[in-house]
Amino acid sequence: MNTAVKLSKLLITSYKNKNFAISYDENRANEIEYIEDTSLLGSIHIGKVKKIAQNINAAFVEIEYNSKRQIVYLDMAELKHLIFADEKEHTVLHEGDDIVIKISKLPIKNKLPGAIANISDCEVLDQILAKKNYIKAPAMLYAGSKDYIDIVKDRLKYAEFDIVTDIKDIYEGIVEFFKEEREDMLGRVRFYEDNMISLNKLYSIDTLFSDSLSKKVWLKDGGYLYIESTEALTVVDVNTGKNVRKKEAEIIKLNTNLEAIKETARQLRLRNISGIIIIDLINTTDKSEIDLIYHTMKEHLKEDRLNTVAIDITKLCLFEITRRKRKPSLEEVIYNNFKLTKNILYSYNRVRL
């Protein structure tokens, strides 16, 4: 268990008609995760192979999910245990084939959902084999578990915590899960209902999301971060701001840099920023300060559940970090659903051409 991950309470509530799980360390939010309506991840489908791209050794497979058809990406380098949904004999994969696949990766930015053909769950596999030849592709054979249950199970790897939600069906689903899997946690889940003050007001949810979507983040000592995400990377610009006392300029620069990297580590979790992150630090040539900044950031990154790596600080004081991609960023979830769909379709159509 990674005890560096700080979590004492998990709040599950809605914002702008979308559900989120918010992790708290004592009374401060330190992570926001979007809850999918139903979890695409882990679901199993009979998909129809629409396109094979030999140049990238991949297949594009059409599935149906939530009554909508979409394309997923299948890496053909991982085709070890193919299950075809017909009774023909097959030796290789062709366009037009119906194949059983499992969703292994969610769509991120302009990338399609990822799929694998190796179905390892024997119980599920027996059910699939019994009916795969009687269902027309594309069709879903097996739904993944509820996303909020996956989130709770994942958090339990790191700590035990209280759960508070004002969403009745989520509360009931968690209680049912705990009755079957973790009876010791039943006393730590609570359904919030208070006519005097909503959960949103009690925890200042509107303010939390507003701050987490703002490009500017103020630091305690007067400095600030300016966060700008692009398609390729995210840049975090560190500024001293109001902290301009000339007599203590060097101390202020170091303190601002240290405060900035601590807050940046938190903002990555709140905003679910992934990929390449560049922190433009306040310039310093002192090697001992650079080492201190680097190792301090490594310690703060231990609080992240996702694989986040401090790469290097360049001579220009640019700190490069990478963070594993999982779900869409908070900004994409709130603002850019159309852009996400548009980019995914463009990615597929470009391969088709």
Side-chain angles (χ1 to χ4, degrees):
M1 181 178 289
N2 183 0
T3 55
V5 175
K6 297 178 179 179
L7 173 60
S8 59
K9 182 182 294 181
L10 188 68
L11 184 71
I12 299 179
T13 190
S14 60
Y15 177 78
K16 292 190 179 298
N17 299 317
K18 296 178 174 67
N19 294 336
F20 294 89
I22 307 170
S23 300
Y24 284 82
D25 173 30
E26 296 180 351
N27 293 317
R28 193 179 194 215
N30 60 20
E31 182 178 0
I32 300 173
E33 182 170 355
Y34 172 55
I35 300 175
E36 304 276 357
D37 292 335
T38 54
S39 183
L40 175 63
L41 192 68
S43 59
I44 299 175
H45 305 257
I46 293 179
K48 183 170 289 291
V49 179
K50 304 296 287 186
K51 177 72 177 179
I52 293 178
Q54 299 289 355
N55 59 326
I56 58 174
N57 198 25
F60 293 87
V61 184
E62 184 181 55
I63 66 168
E64 186 172 284
Y65 186 71
N66 284 343
S67 301
K68 295 180 181 178
R69 295 190 177 189
Q70 60 178 293
I71 300 296
V72 301
Y73 177 94
L74 178 66
D75 186 350
M76 293 177 63
E78 300 180 3
L79 297 185
K80 296 179 182 178
H81 304 283
L82 287 171
I83 302 174
F84 291 91
D86 56 45
E87 298 186 3
K88 299 176 184 177
E89 291 188 8
H90 296 267
T91 54
V92 295
L93 191 65
H94 296 93
E95 292 178 8
D97 282 341
D98 295 344
I99 185 174
V100 178
I101 57 172
K102 180 178 182 178
I103 305 303
S104 58
K105 295 179 182 178
L106 293 171
I108 300 291
K109 293 185 179 178
N110 63 341
K111 293 188 177 181
L112 297 167
I116 58 174
N118 182 21
I119 315 298
S120 58
D121 189 318
C122 294
E123 183 178 346
V124 172
L125 183 56
D126 288 342
Q127 297 175 25
I128 291 168
L129 293 175
K131 61 183 180 181
K132 67 180 178 64
N133 295 335
Y134 304 98
I135 299 175
K136 186 177 180 181
M140 186 169 72
L141 296 172
Y142 176 80
S145 59
K146 296 289 187 181
D147 195 32
Y148 63 85
I149 296 294
D150 288 340
I151 289 172
V152 170
K153 288 166 65 175
D154 181 74
R155 300 303 190 282
L156 286 172
K157 296 175 185 176
Y158 306 99
E160 293 187 349
F161 47 87
D162 296 325
I163 302 174
V164 180
T165 181
D166 56 354
I167 305 171
K168 189 69 172 179
D169 60 338
I170 287 182
Y171 167 76
E172 291 172 348
I174 293 172
V175 168
E176 183 179 350
F177 166 70
F178 282 160
K179 283 180 178 178
E180 295 177 0
E181 304 287 342
R182 289 290 303 266
E183 286 192 358
D184 59 305
M185 285 290 293
L186 277 170
R188 304 193 68 166
V189 56
R190 179 165 67 95
F191 178 65
Y192 183 90
E193 49 183 345
D194 189 324
N195 295 328
M196 299 297 293
I197 182 170
S198 67
L199 197 65
N200 184 301
K201 293 293 183 183
L202 184 63
Y203 285 87
S204 301
I205 298 301
D206 286 345
T207 300
L208 172 64
F209 276 81
S210 177
D211 290 346
S212 299
L213 292 164
S214 173
K215 293 183 184 295
K216 198 170 189 177
V217 179
W218 285 103
L219 303 174
K220 290 181 180 178
D221 290 338
Y224 66 90
L225 308 176
Y226 192 83
I227 303 174
E228 184 73 54
S229 292
T230 68
E231 202 67 38
L233 52 80
T234 297
V235 176
V236 180
D237 189 24
V238 181
N239 299 271
T240 54
K242 300 173 183 177
N243 238 335
V244 291
R245 292 168 292 179
K246 292 183 179 179
K247 292 182 180 180
E248 303 174 8
E250 293 304 314
I251 296 175
I252 289 171
K253 285 198 298 183
L254 175 59
N255 289 342
T256 301
N257 277 333
L258 291 173
E259 190 180 353
I261 59 173
K262 178 180 179 180
E263 183 59 30
T264 297
R266 175 174 176 260
Q267 291 295 324
L268 297 182
R269 301 190 302 270
L270 288 174
R271 299 165 186 250
N272 196 24
I273 295 170
S274 60
I276 299 172
I277 299 105
I278 302 295
I279 307 173
D280 188 358
L281 298 165
I282 299 169
N283 192 54
T284 179
T285 56
D286 189 316
K287 188 178 185 305
S288 63
E289 289 188 2
I290 292 172
D291 288 343
L292 176 60
I293 292 167
Y294 177 81
H295 289 291
T296 302
M297 177 56 106
K298 286 194 72 173
E299 287 301 309
H300 289 309
L301 293 181
K302 290 179 181 178
E303 299 176 23
D304 202 328
R305 295 177 306 102
L306 300 185
N307 184 30
T308 309
V309 181
I311 305 297
D312 192 19
I313 300 177
T314 71
K315 291 181 180 180
L316 296 176
C317 278
L318 300 176
F319 198 159
E320 182 181 352
I321 293 170
T322 61
R323 188 169 188 262
R324 184 168 70 89
K325 297 179 179 180
R326 190 169 179 272
K327 290 184 178 179
S329 70
L330 183 63
E331 185 178 20
E332 288 172 324
V333 170
I334 298 297
Y335 297 131
N336 293 338
N337 283 339
F338 172 75
K339 180 180 178 182
L340 177 65
T341 304
K342 182 180 177 181
N343 284 341
I344 287 175
L345 291 174
Y346 170 73
S347 176
Y348 169 58
N349 287 331
R350 184 173 56 184
V351 173
R352 291 182 68 188
L353 296 173

